[in-house]
Structures are given as structure tokens and as C-alpha cells.
Amino acid sequence: MFFTQDTKIGYILASPEGREILLKHAPELKDSPYIFFTKMRSLSDYVTVNQSINRSEDWLRTVMNELSSVEYEVDTNTEILPLSNYESDRIPEGSATIVSPVSVGKWDVFEIELNGPSHGNPFVDVAISAQFSCNGYSVDINGFYDDNGTYKIRFMPEKEGQWTYQTKSNARSLNGIEGQFTCGPANDKNHGQVRVADTFHFTYSDGTRYLPVGTTCYAWTQQPNELQEQTLTTLSEGPFNKMRMCIFPKAYLFNENEPIHYPFEGSLEDGFDYTRFNPAFFQHLDQRIAELKKLGIEADLILFHAYDRWGFSEMGKSADDRYLKYVTARLSAFSNVWWSLANEYDLMWSKEEEDWERFASIVTNHDPYNHLISVHNCFKFYDYTKPWVTHCSVQRVDVYRTSENTDEWRKQWGKPVVIDECGYEGNINMGWGNIPGQEMVRRFWEGAIRGGYVGHGETYLHPEDILWWSKGGELHGTSPSRIGFLRKIVEQSPNGILNPIVSEWDAPAAGIVDKFYLYYYGFNQPSYREFTMSPGIQYKVDVIDTWNMTIEEQNGTFEGNFRIELPARQYMAIRLTAV
């Protein structure tokens, strides 16, 4: 294929000859921190959109005169298949040594470790799986290579009883190995994985209500170990029970450091071998996901993102698919895993809709436990009505108004609305990262009162560029404790959830008609509110200061038409509970 003025700039920059020509005429692109935005656009778009750099039609013609003769290749997605003759017929079947526990708790990780062959490239040459069976139920589980001749198969039993298993592999020494174990009751802190319940909400597998109160630390597992430990300590003391985090390293503003490990063998200077995973990278990720689980925190794993200087966002179709199969084989057995196909999927210039649909198919077909899965937007919403999407992972679509759309999005998509990115409490120069704590808390309440769930992030400047939103560490903002206060308010509501109800034009409300009402007044500051309720029902009334985190129960009970005095302050709420 040949370049045209409608070719995405990403394709031009991916071609060594095309890159040389384009950077000669547009040197501003070479070190731009916003290059991922540019890669999405065509050259003709670049001329019209980038008004700060005066690029004329003459400039476009000059560039195209040089580019038009440059040919480039389109990825054909050639899959590498396991070798049928990986081991000699002289190797006895099932001769690999095996280590596995004799018992495990329900929803915990049962792991089979096999010591087998290591010649060639076992990441692509060897396929290994096992069939697990219990009382007439069977499920096939894929395994993975973990370096130095070690293969692992991880399984999360969802029912108690005696389980048996048998391995299957193209490597003779790994094939046909049988074993058994006992699955006992779950421990008190393990409620299983999170699932959608009541259309717009969530529960754990055992029916315990789960309210996602999320935060974001994109690259926390790529930081020095001491900083990672500090992040875990901060999480253990805070209100959050979900963490959005990238698998791949991140390169962006305030993110200039190299990761402690790379996901593939190789280096930035010499390139990466996408057929060979780096087990040290993934072993470390295993550890951190397990530690989040101990804290009761869900790991919302971002599988792809555009903020990349290593090439992981542009690997090619076969490498993308192989990566997804490896990750699902390795991580699906952790009960606290969620899948996010991408952070800001629409910034990834080399991925089209058919790619995202293929990714969704791979993840859902290779995850036997059906973990929650979604995809996060930058400018354009994904089609959340797709049957594989379990919930709507939303970024703000307006500088000011996002959480206020929650009830409309519930009607539009008919699924839980999780506003993972409503903006960040902080003070950096970017508009998405400098809202005050009061505004963050207001957005949480506006979303909650409309039956949705809002996520937190923090971007306060730091002398060492340690911003929570990406690197973790310590929280410096004023919103987390107020978010924890809101979490308790929701947990105290009937059934532990909030659903929107018809309310006054100037104040949203959630609740159950004639039983429970929660009104929120946001940045308004009324001195009182008047109520007209169904006759014959008495209510206990609480005045809630959502910022100062106080609840003042009003004397007596109220019925019919009544007036509740307020302190003429912002961020107040009123709760009515039928006696």
C-alpha cells in the first residue's frame, strides 16, 4: 500500500522511510508528549486541526509529493502454532515432575507447577492445559510457561468438593498427568469474584453486596519497590476497593522513568521479542494482584493503552492476540481481576473496531470465570450495548458535566455505569487534573444519587513527579475521606444500593418511594427545603453535611407537608427514612 493524505500519521511514523520524510517537514512531532493524539489523525487533518502550527495546503502537497511513492505493509496476523513434534517419542508421556497443594479454599487459586522441557521457545512451541472435574461438572483451563522449564496451570474452583484433573499438552512429558485436590469453604474475607446484579449494580459470588469505590494508579507496579509498598499501605488505610492499573508500562507527563521490568525479553535500544514474555515482569504483577486481593481491592487491569514509547501499543495482531491469551491464562484465576480492554481505546491509532471485538472474543473465550469486562473511552464512547460488555467504563465527556449524565446512560445502555475517570483532584496545568477536592466529592455524589459509581484520581504536583494517578505513593488530597463517608451512606441504604427516583427539578434524589429518600443539593446552598410526602407515613429525617461528614438527626418524626431547616451551605443532603 502507498501513503495518501488520508493515511493515519501512525502508519507513516511506523515506516522508517515515511518517518524520516515526515519528521523532516514536521520536526515538532519528534519529541511531542502528545504524539498519540497526532498518530490518530491523517495529514489532511493535521493541517486543519493544528492551528497553533501554521501548516498550509502547500505544505501538505510538498510532504505528499515525497510520501506518495513510499510503500508500507499492513499486518496480516500470522499466528505461530505449537510444534507437533516438540518432544521426541522417546520421552515418556506424563513424565514431568509436578507440585500442587492437596486442598484449597473456594475462590482461591489452585496452582499446578510442572517441571518440564525448556528447549526452543516454550512460550510459542508448547501448549498446555488441564481439564478439571467435580461431580459431573468439567472445565478446561489453559496453562502458561513461567521460565526455566516451569509450566503452571492456575484454577479458581467455584464449588466445594473433590476435584480431579488431567493435563493435555503437545509436549509428551507434560501430557496426561492426573491428580486431585479438595476444595473447602471460602475463608471469611473471600466472597468470590464481582458480578453484575440488579441490572445496574454488583455483588460478589456469595451474594455479598459490592459497591465499587475506585481509584487510579496507572503505573504503580512499574515503580521502585519502596514506592509500591507505600502505595499498598495507603490503600490499606483508605476507602477504595477497586484499582485501575495498567499491565504495560506508561510514558506520559510526569512518567519519564523506565519500568523495573519489561513485559517481553529485550530492551528499548535493541527492540523486544514479542514471542518471549519476561516472566519476572508477570511474576511481580501476580504478587501485586494477590496483595490487592488481601486488602479486598479489585484489580481493574488495563490491557492496552496508547501512552507508550516502547512499542507495546503497536505490536501487531498476532503479538496482541498471543499477549491476551498469555495474560488470561496467567491471571484469570485471581478472583479480584477485572478486564479493561483499553484505557482510552480511541487513542490507539493502529486498532480498529474489528480489533477490539477480536480482543473481547479472545478474553471472554479464554477466561472460564467470566470476569467483568469493559473498555474505556477518551472522546468517543464504545458501543456498551455489545453483549460481551458487562458494565460501562466511562471517562468524562464534558469539562464540567459528567456524573449528571449517569441516569441517562443507565437508560441508554441498561448496564452498570462506572465513571472511572471524572477528572482528578490536583493542581497540574491540565484541565482534567486540577479540580479541587470539593468538586471531586460533588461528582461522586452526583453519580451515586443517580445510581452510578464514580472513580477517584489525584494529580498534585510533587518535587519528584510522584503523582498518585500514575505512580501511587501517598494521597495528599481532601476527597478520599469524604468519599469513604459517601460509601458508608450508600451501604446504610436499603439493599446497600441507590437507584434514582423522580424528584424536584432542582435536586436529584435516590431511594424507594414511600420508604427511603436521599436528596443531594450539590453546589446550591438552600436555607431550608419543603417536602410534600404521601400522607400516613412518618419519616425520620437526617441532615447530612457531605463535606464536613456530619449527620444530624432531626427531632421527632415528619409526615405529609413539612419543612427542614438547612445551614445555607453547599454540599448538603437530606435523608428521609420511613419509620
Side-chain angles (χ1 to χ4, degrees):
M1 297 180 66
F2 293 93
F3 294 125
T4 71
Q5 65 180 26
D6 296 321
T7 303
K8 288 182 181 179
I9 289 175
Y11 287 111
I12 300 173
L13 292 174
S15 160
E17 188 177 354
R19 179 182 180 85
E20 182 179 354
I21 292 170
L22 182 57
L23 293 184
K24 179 178 68 174
H25 294 283
E28 69 277 3
L29 296 179
K30 183 177 180 181
D31 298 314
S32 171
Y34 310 110
I35 188 64
F36 43 84
F37 286 111
T38 308
K39 286 182 176 182
M40 300 161 47
R41 299 190 173 108
S42 65
L43 279 180
S44 57
D45 289 337
Y46 189 65
V47 169
T48 57
V49 171
N50 197 343
Q51 297 179 1
S52 60
I53 299 175
N54 188 18
R55 297 300 185 195
S56 65
E57 290 295 328
D58 289 339
W59 177 89
L60 178 59
R61 281 190 289 272
T62 300
V63 176
M64 285 311 307
N65 284 337
E66 296 186 41
L67 281 175
S68 58
S69 62
V70 177
E71 191 171 4
Y72 70 100
E73 296 182 358
V74 176
D75 185 7
T76 56
N77 196 18
T78 303
E79 183 180 3
I80 303 175
L81 298 176
L83 298 178
S84 59
N85 59 345
Y86 180 72
E87 282 189 311
S88 165
D89 291 344
R90 294 192 300 270
I91 301 295
E93 277 204 292
S95 57
T97 58
I98 181 172
V99 177
S100 64
V102 296
S103 64
V104 70
K106 188 178 181 181
W107 301 310
D108 279 335
V109 178
F110 173 79
E111 182 177 277
I112 303 171
E113 182 177 310
L114 304 103
N115 185 19
S118 60
H119 61 277
N121 181 359
F123 289 110
V124 294
D125 294 343
V126 178
I128 184 168
S129 63
Q131 184 175 83
F132 290 82
S133 302
C134 179
N135 296 329
Y137 169 77
S138 295
V139 59
D140 293 323
I141 303 295
N142 292 322
F144 59 94
Y145 184 60
D146 203 30
D147 209 12
N148 296 320
T150 299
Y151 300 78
K152 292 182 178 180
I153 304 171
R154 290 175 176 163
F155 174 56
M156 181 183 71
E158 299 180 86
K159 60 189 298 185
E160 298 174 34
Q162 191 73 20
W163 286 85
T164 61
Y165 60 84
Q166 183 179 55
T167 64
K168 181 180 179 181
S169 178
N170 65 308
R172 289 175 58 83
S173 61
L174 302 173
N175 188 53
I177 298 174
E178 297 181 350
Q180 61 182 13
F181 70 96
T182 301
C183 176
N187 66 52
D188 293 340
K189 294 183 178 180
N190 191 351
H191 302 288
Q193 67 189 82
V194 175
R195 301 185 182 279
V196 172
D198 306 311
T199 306
F200 301 110
H201 304 285
F202 303 93
T203 61
Y204 292 101
S205 299
D206 68 356
T208 302
R209 182 66 67 184
Y210 172 78
L211 302 175
V213 182
T215 188
T216 294
C217 290
Y218 287 123
W220 77 281
T221 61
Q222 317 296 333
Q223 308 309 313
N225 190 66
E226 183 179 356
L227 184 57
Q228 294 181 52
E229 293 297 329
Q230 187 180 57
T231 302
L232 290 169
T233 298
T234 300
L235 289 170
S236 70
E237 299 168 349
F240 303 112
N241 60 12
K242 184 171 85 75
M243 170 75 95
R244 291 183 71 231
M245 51 189 282
C246 300
I247 293 182
F248 286 135
K250 179 179 181 179
Y252 187 45
L253 302 172
F254 311 104
N255 287 264
E256 300 300 326
N257 57 310
E258 289 298 307
I260 55 175
H261 300 292
Y262 295 108
F264 300 96
E265 290 188 12
S267 66
L268 183 60
E269 295 76 21
D270 300 327
F272 295 94
D273 183 349
Y274 297 137
T275 70
R276 292 182 180 270
F277 298 96
N278 178 6
F281 175 94
F282 289 96
Q283 290 161 4
H284 179 74
L285 181 62
D286 295 344
Q287 175 190 344
R288 293 312 189 195
I289 293 172
E291 288 167 334
L292 290 177
K293 181 176 177 178
K294 289 180 181 178
L295 295 176
I297 296 174
E298 302 293 298
D300 193 352
L301 298 178
I302 297 167
L303 297 171
F304 292 102
H305 65 82
Y307 301 88
D308 168 42
R309 63 170 175 266
W310 304 275
F312 306 139
S313 62
E314 304 170 5
M315 295 188 296
K317 297 180 188 299
S318 61
D320 289 342
D321 295 358
R322 186 165 49 249
Y323 156 72
L324 292 176
K325 292 172 184 176
Y326 186 81
V327 165
T328 49
R330 184 163 196 130
L331 302 178
S332 290
F334 289 98
S335 63
N336 62 322
V337 160
W338 298 24
W339 306 118
S340 176
L341 288 189
N343 181 69
E344 299 177 338
Y345 82 96
D346 45 335
L347 293 190
M348 300 193 69
W349 68 269
S350 65
K351 313 287 191 259
E352 305 294 347
E353 182 177 351
E354 58 265 28
D355 294 307
W356 297 115
E357 289 299 303
R358 189 180 75 257
F359 296 161
S361 178
I362 291 171
V363 172
T364 55
N365 288 333
H366 288 78
D367 171 11
Y369 315 105
N370 300 315
H371 288 284
L372 296 175
I373 180 171
S374 190
V375 60
H376 170 271
N377 68 290
C378 183
F379 301 112
K380 179 184 177 183
F381 287 134
Y382 203 81
D383 180 2
Y384 293 121
T385 64
K386 297 280 188 179
W388 59 265
V389 176
T390 58
H391 63 286
C392 312
S393 175
V394 173
Q395 178 171 196
R396 60 174 181 78
V397 292
D398 183 269
V399 175
Y400 304 107
R401 189 177 190 273
T402 291
S403 300
E404 295 85 349
N405 297 318
T406 301
D407 45 356
E408 294 302 316
W409 290 334
R410 284 177 28 132
K411 295 173 185 176
Q412 179 180 350
W413 296 316
K415 295 176 181 179
V417 174
V418 183
I419 303 174
D420 280 313
E421 198 171 346
C422 72
Y424 296 101
E425 179 184 356
N427 60 0
I428 64 173
N429 67 313
M430 306 297 286
W432 50 261
N434 53 29
I435 64 173
Q438 291 95 331
E439 177 61 11
M440 173 64 76
V441 175
R442 186 193 72 82
R443 294 181 186 192
F444 261 77
W445 271 86
E446 295 282 4
I449 213 77
R450 292 170 169 83
Y453 302 93
V454 181
H456 162 272
E458 185 181 286
T459 49
Y460 282 104
L461 290 170
H462 187 278
E464 298 176 38
D465 284 349
I466 302 175
L467 280 64
W468 174 266
W469 133 92
S470 190
K471 296 181 180 179
E474 293 181 307
L475 287 165
H476 305 282
T478 55
S479 64
S481 58
R482 277 86 180 180
I483 292 168
F485 179 73
L486 168 60
R487 176 178 172 178
K488 292 177 181 177
I489 294 290
V490 179
E491 289 172 342
Q492 294 167 1
S493 303
N495 302 317
I497 56 176
L498 295 177
N499 283 308
I501 57 175
V502 177
S503 61
E504 299 294 332
W505 67 273
D506 61 344
I512 302 172
V513 174
D514 291 339
K515 293 183 179 180
F516 174 82
Y517 298 86
L518 183 62
Y519 298 88
Y520 180 61
Y521 302 109
F523 43 64
N524 295 314
Q525 49 182 13
S527 297
Y528 63 91
R529 292 290 294 195
E530 294 180 336
F531 295 88
T532 301
M533 311 303 292
S534 299
I537 302 175
Q538 293 187 332
Y539 291 93
K540 182 186 77 169
V541 177
D542 297 311
V543 172
I544 302 171
D545 188 324
T546 69
W547 183 252
N548 292 311
M549 298 181 286
T550 61
I551 302 174
E552 296 183 8
E553 182 176 347
Q554 305 301 290
N555 293 327
T557 58
F558 299 80
E559 178 183 349
N561 299 328
F562 54 89
R563 168 171 159 160
I564 300 299
E565 302 298 324
L566 291 168
R569 288 197 300 267
Q570 293 182 313
Y571 314 122
M572 301 299 294
I574 291 178
R575 180 171 60 188
L576 310 181
T577 306
V579 178

